[in-house]
Structures are given as C-alpha cells and as structure tokens.
Amino acid sequence: MTHAGTPTPARTPAPVSAGHCRGNAARAAAAGALTAAFLGLAPLAHAAQPVPPAPAAPSGAGIAEAHEAATAPATLDTLSRFFARDGAIAKAKARPGIDGATVPVYTLAPEFVAGRTGVPVATLDFLASKAVSADGRKASVWTARAGDEWKVVNIATGDDETRYAAEGARRLSGGTVFREPQIDAWYVQRGDRVLPLDEDATRAIGAGGTSLARYQARVHKEYGDKLPGSAYEKKGLAGGYGTNAAPAAEGRAPALEAAAPDGPATAVARTDAGGPPAPAAAAAVTGGVLALGATALLIRRRRRG
C-alpha cells in the first residue's frame, strides 16, 4: 500500500533472453514464408486444372436428321440382314427397330492428348442409335454428316454408344461421355473430374476416377508421341493415335462382311477440324461394306489398342 503523496514506483519489464527473441523471429519468418508459399502456389494450382469447354455438340436438327436416317426403310432392311447374318434368325423375322434417342459419340481429342490447356477432352465423331431385333439382340447404327445430309456409315454389334451415354448421364449429369479408342475405354467428364464407365476405364484410372489434369498427363504419356504427324505415324505403325484409331472393341462383329458387294464405297473418318466424320476413301479402312441405297455402309471390326 502506498501513502498519499508517495509516488508509485514504475514497473520494470522483466528481462527477455536473447534465445527468446531469436525464437520469436524464427517463428515469424517461418509463418511469413509459409504464407508466401501458399499465395504463390494457389494461382498455379488453379491454372493447372482449368475447366475445359464442352466439345461442340450437334444441332437438334442434325440429331433429328440422323435419327431419320437410322429409321429409314433401307436402313431397317440392312439391319434385318445384319441380325440374320449368322443364321440365328431369318431375315424376314428379324423385324428390327430403332429404340430410344440418337446420341452424340465423342472420342478423345488429339489436342487434349498433346497437352494443350483450355481444349475439350473429346471431339464429336458420329451419332449413334440403338437397333433391336425381334429376338432381343442389339446393334449400334452410326450416322455421320456427308455433305448436306446425315447418312448411315456403320453398324456394329452391341449398344455401347447409347448404353454408356445413359450411364454417364446417371453418374455425372451434364458431363461429356467419351471413348479412349486405343483401349476402348469409356469415361464421363465434367469440370475437373473424370469417372470410368467400363472395366477398361477402371483399370486405367481406378474405380474412383481421377482429376482431369492427371488424366491428361496419363494420355499424353501414352499417346503424345503417336499423334497425327508424329514420327510414329509416319512409320505406319499400327495401334497408335491417329485419325483411323480403333473404332471400337474387339468382339463387336462386322455386319455381313461376306455379303459385301463389289464396287466403290465410302468410309468414315474424322475431318481435319475435329468435327463430325466425313466420307473418306474405303481403301483407308479395313473391313467389309454394305450397300445402302445411295449410301455405302462401312463395317469395321472393333478391336483393342
């Protein structure tokens, strides 16, 4: 207690050791460095995984025209021969029909494989419709733009195209369903996520999927040196990445290969612009062809890698 008139003595700060000062300074420096590191890395992490644009989609009118081509009487007649080719059902009893909507089919884009950023993961290749015979067997009718109209260019066994389109919409609504033709793997991509839709894709990226950046790194490593114009392609090596990459999986049989007529035919190939397929010389593709009125129908065996 102090008495009136007696001044209160001033407090004297406790001495601070040199070691304590050095510790505080070190902690402050470390915190500053960590903050700077995060600030520096954040923009890089964002730039590494930009949200890519969606691939160009066909117009509603184009889809309607493709569906009309798939349901044309000449197409249905060819489908009857397709389903009767192995003797399992008579042509007259096949009574095929087109079931469900016509869907766009996208394929892994060379620009994406090359490592470019800000490009779609896939490009539009063709449109597909599911055909079903009277005995329940399924086939996929491919249509592509030829000049000013959509024409049937291929029939393949099974319904991969429409089935995976539906599965992709269920698993990742609004995403892009696409195929990696080298291993016949199907995926769905939206934003930064890529999910597998079949066993081949699951083996490639795991059941839980992967980020878009990691998927791009994977396909660039696998196919980056096999793009069109590469030394690999110029050597004529099969199984690489090119405009004539495998159209589908092994086991999807060609239609009526033995019944292919003689004479010229057209094949399906991607345009230089990466848009829908356009007719190309049949000599560029292996397999049989089937006449379909004024349109030649390309039949190619689906293979892996």
Side-chain angles (χ1 to χ4, degrees), residues 56-71:
S59 66
I63 292 176
E65 290 178 25
H67 186 80
E68 184 176 350
T71 57

Side-chain angles (χ1 to χ4, degrees), residues 43-54 109-122 189 191-192 212-217 219-220:
L44 292 178
H46 176 74
Q49 298 183 20
V51 177
E111 297 81 7
F112 183 83
V113 173
R116 290 177 53 186
T117 58
V119 298
V121 67
Q189 171 265 328
D192 184 49
L212 186 65
R214 289 191 176 187
Y215 178 73
Q216 185 174 40
V219 295
H220 179 72

Side-chain angles (χ1 to χ4, degrees), residues 2 4 9 18 30 39 69 73 88 94 98 109 117 135 137 166 178 223 238 240 247 252 263 288 294:
T2 59
L39 290 175
I98 299 300
T117 58
D135 62 358
R137 287 183 296 165
F178 69 98
Y223 318 124
R252 296 191 71 179

Side-chain angles (χ1 to χ4, degrees), residues 12-269:
T12 303
V16 179
S17 68
H20 182 74
C21 289
R22 286 194 298 271
N24 283 343
R27 283 192 292 273
L34 188 60
T35 300
F38 274 115
L39 290 175
L41 287 175
L44 292 178
H46 176 74
Q49 298 183 20
V51 177
S59 66
I63 292 176
E65 290 178 25
H67 186 80
E68 184 176 350
T71 57
T75 306
L76 297 179
D77 182 70
T78 301
L79 282 166
S80 293
R81 287 187 284 152
F82 174 86
F83 288 120
R85 73 193 184 280
D86 56 4
I89 191 172
K91 177 179 178 292
K93 295 182 178 181
R95 298 191 301 276
I98 299 300
D99 181 24
T102 295
V103 301
V105 180
Y106 299 94
T107 299
L108 182 63
E111 297 81 7
F112 183 83
V113 173
R116 290 177 53 186
T117 58
V119 298
V121 67
T123 55
L124 178 66
D125 257 354
F126 54 91
L127 303 184
S129 306
K130 180 173 71 173
V132 183
S133 71
D135 62 358
R137 287 183 296 165
K138 301 179 180 71
S140 183
V141 179
W142 298 5
T143 46
R145 193 170 185 83
D148 295 330
E149 58 185 332
W150 287 82
K151 295 184 177 182
V152 174
V153 294
N154 188 47
I155 294 176
T157 55
D159 62 345
D160 285 6
E161 290 77 15
T162 51
R163 180 161 49 89
Y164 288 124
E167 177 66 11
R170 186 187 68 80
R171 294 199 60 192
L172 205 58
S173 179
T176 297
V177 174
F178 69 98
R179 186 171 60 94
E180 183 182 327
Q182 294 74 20
I183 60 173
D184 190 46
W186 288 86
Y187 308 87
V188 59
Q189 171 265 328
R190 189 184 69 190
D192 184 49
R193 294 303 299 167
V194 179
L195 299 180
L197 296 178
D198 68 353
E199 293 181 358
D200 297 294
T202 299
R203 282 192 292 268
I205 65 172
T210 188
S211 70
L212 186 65
R214 289 191 176 187
Y215 178 73
Q216 185 174 40
R218 176 190 159 275
V219 295
H220 179 72
K221 179 181 178 182
E222 293 291 332
Y223 318 124
D225 61 345
K226 302 174 181 65
L227 291 164
S230 66
Y232 188 93
E233 186 200 39
K234 290 175 182 177
K235 289 179 181 178
L237 299 175
Y241 193 102
T243 55
N244 289 324
E250 182 180 4
R252 296 191 71 179
L256 300 172
E257 192 165 338
D262 295 329
T266 57
V268 64

Side-chain angles (χ1 to χ4, degrees), residues 85 253-261 286-290 299-301:
R85 73 193 184 280
L256 300 172
E257 192 165 338
T286 60
V289 291
L290 258 180
I299 306 298
R300 293 183 292 185
R301 183 178 298 277

